[in-house]
Amino acid sequence: MFALVAAGCTYESSGTTTTTTVAVEDRPAPTSPGSLIVSDQRSEGSSVTIDSVALPSPGWVVLRADSGGSPGELIGISDRLPAGFITGVTVPLLIPLAEDATVHLALHVDVDDDGSFVFEPPDAFVDGIATTTEGDPVTAVVRVTLLPPLSPGDAFVEEQTTDGTTLDVASALLPAAGFVALHANEGGEPGEVLAVTDLLEAGEVTEFAFEVDPPLATTGIVFVVVWVDRDEDGVFAPGEGTDAVAIRSDGGLAVAEVVMTVIPTSPAAVEADDQEVTGNSFVVASVESPATGFLEVLSDASGEPGERVAVVPVGIGSFTDLSVDLPDGFTSGDRLWLRLWVEFDGDGALSAGDLPALAEAGGTAIEVSLTVTVIEEE
């Protein structure tokens, strides 16, 4: 129940005294004191964030476009806010900004307490602007700088076989300057960053490769992710609230998932000593192969590997005392050369599509030599 109070509106006429009463709900809502604090900001351009608002009674924060340095058309309005002190008020824009802009703000009070904002000068000033304790209108001006756009972005990569040191990417689309990163699989989502490009300009980048260090050791899913340099500092900083994943035109994240079939080329080793034999074979002391492959036997050409004279298949793992037949036409005392290859193209034969086995990732190819002397049996 609302109380009634007497207003100072008493007058006398023909000896009669009349007193009027005004209901509390008919009183205009107080418009002072109010305050509005806002800082220049970077945003998506779809809203403006207010640091704090103090309202003497319920009302709104109203945004207007700049018109020659003065408030212009209405471009945003907050929800109806309660009286009191509020922090972190986000005011949506009716239409997102297309470019950096100056925005004028005003704090309005719901003077008639009807829940509807009405302020249409010069015809209707119902919900007027709140004032400070000094009687000044509560207004502010903020500069909104648009963040680099997140869309459209995309990445395209095909399944491929690799030695674990590289991954080829068909193309990537960046909506703004940013990066393309290769991520490990963590529970079906992009996880640890395995490799990342330098800063790339906005647009399409085609046919580039990631150098992976340390190399991947096993076959599995990896993710290629397009990132936007949101803080525009040229430094890749995922997960720190600075850079952000780009968005595809359909609204999904600009992430490509791919199976990376890894055939490792290291670590590998071959040991073979000079030796005397009595039969038609010699012994390779040890072979360590990171994948199925081939031990290639070559003739000597003036102290260098010559022509291929034999190929011996090898499996994955370590082997000792591997017996290898001497090639046709071998002469006692000749030097032989051994090279270890990884079966990479899957054709079952040593061919140009296979890769040399390496002592370590990025290291030297396996190549050893030995002299074999055939001793005639008595």
Side-chain angles (χ1 to χ4, degrees):
M1 184 175 68
F2 295 97
L4 300 179
V5 297
C9 188
T10 301
Y11 62 92
E12 295 184 5
S13 175
S14 303
T16 302
T17 301
T18 302
T19 302
T20 61
T21 59
V22 179
V24 171
E25 63 267 27
D26 292 334
R27 285 182 169 184
T31 60
S32 182
S35 69
L36 178 64
I37 298 176
V38 62
S39 305
D40 289 346
Q41 56 199 261
R42 291 162 55 86
S43 78
E44 305 285 354
S46 59
S47 64
V48 173
T49 300
I50 316 300
D51 297 327
S52 66
V53 174
L55 273 162
S57 50
W60 302 269
V61 177
V62 176
L63 309 181
R64 294 185 180 275
D66 180 74
S67 178
S70 299
E73 74 172 303
L74 188 145
I75 59 173
I77 184 169
S78 70
D79 292 335
R80 186 173 184 265
L81 303 172
F85 183 77
I86 309 171
T87 60
V89 177
T90 298
V91 183
L93 292 164
L94 301 178
I95 299 176
L97 297 175
E99 59 185 7
D100 299 347
T102 296
V103 177
H104 296 262
L105 301 88
L107 186 62
H108 286 255
V109 171
D110 189 3
V111 176
D112 58 357
D113 197 31
D114 69 347
S116 298
F117 174 64
V118 179
F119 188 78
E120 302 171 353
D123 301 320
F125 290 87
V126 176
D127 297 321
I129 299 176
T131 57
T132 66
T133 52
E134 293 78 17
D136 298 321
V138 180
T139 60
V141 176
V142 63
R143 184 66 179 170
V144 179
T145 303
L146 295 184
L147 289 165
L150 293 179
S151 183
D154 217 336
F156 303 92
V157 59
E158 297 179 349
E159 292 187 6
Q160 56 199 268
T161 300
T162 169
D163 63 356
T165 63
T166 62
L167 178 73
D168 294 324
V169 178
S171 67
L173 179 64
L174 291 86
F179 311 89
V180 182
L182 178 65
H183 293 252
N185 176 27
E186 292 185 9
E189 300 289 340
E192 177 188 1
V193 176
L194 303 174
V196 63
T197 65
D198 293 332
L199 182 68
L200 302 172
E201 295 181 357
E204 187 177 22
V205 184
T206 59
E207 297 182 351
F208 63 97
F210 287 112
E211 300 293 330
V212 186
D213 186 20
L216 294 179
T218 58
T219 295
I221 293 173
V222 292
F223 296 90
V224 176
V225 182
V226 178
W227 290 83
V228 174
D229 185 20
R230 290 287 262 181
D231 55 3
E232 299 179 291
D233 66 351
V235 178
F236 180 56
E240 298 179 13
T242 52
D243 299 336
V245 178
I247 307 296
R248 296 199 309 264
S249 56
D250 64 3
L253 295 177
V255 176
E257 176 182 330
V258 63
V259 174
M260 191 171 172
T261 301
V262 177
I263 299 179
T265 59
S266 66
V270 173
E271 293 183 358
D273 301 319
D274 293 342
Q275 55 195 270
E276 294 179 345
V277 300
T278 57
N280 60 353
S281 63
F282 67 97
V283 174
V284 178
S286 66
V287 175
E288 180 182 354
S289 181
T292 57
F294 309 95
L295 184 65
E296 181 185 29
V297 184
L298 304 100
S299 63
D300 181 77
S302 302
E304 298 291 336
E307 296 181 356
R308 178 188 301 170
V309 294
V311 174
V312 180
V314 295
I316 303 173
S318 298
F319 307 91
T320 58
D321 297 333
L322 182 66
S323 180
V324 179
D325 290 341
L326 289 169
D328 294 339
F330 176 79
T331 301
S332 178
D334 282 353
R335 178 166 293 277
L336 294 173
W337 293 84
L338 305 177
R339 288 175 175 166
L340 186 61
W341 294 83
V342 169
E343 165 96 68
F344 196 74
D345 57 11
D347 66 356
L350 179 56
S351 60
D354 297 325
L355 298 179
L358 308 177
E360 57 187 16
T364 57
I366 300 300
E367 184 178 277
V368 300
S369 66
L370 73 158
T371 299
V372 179
T373 302
V374 180
I375 299 175
E376 296 293 336
E377 291 187 82
E378 295 181 359

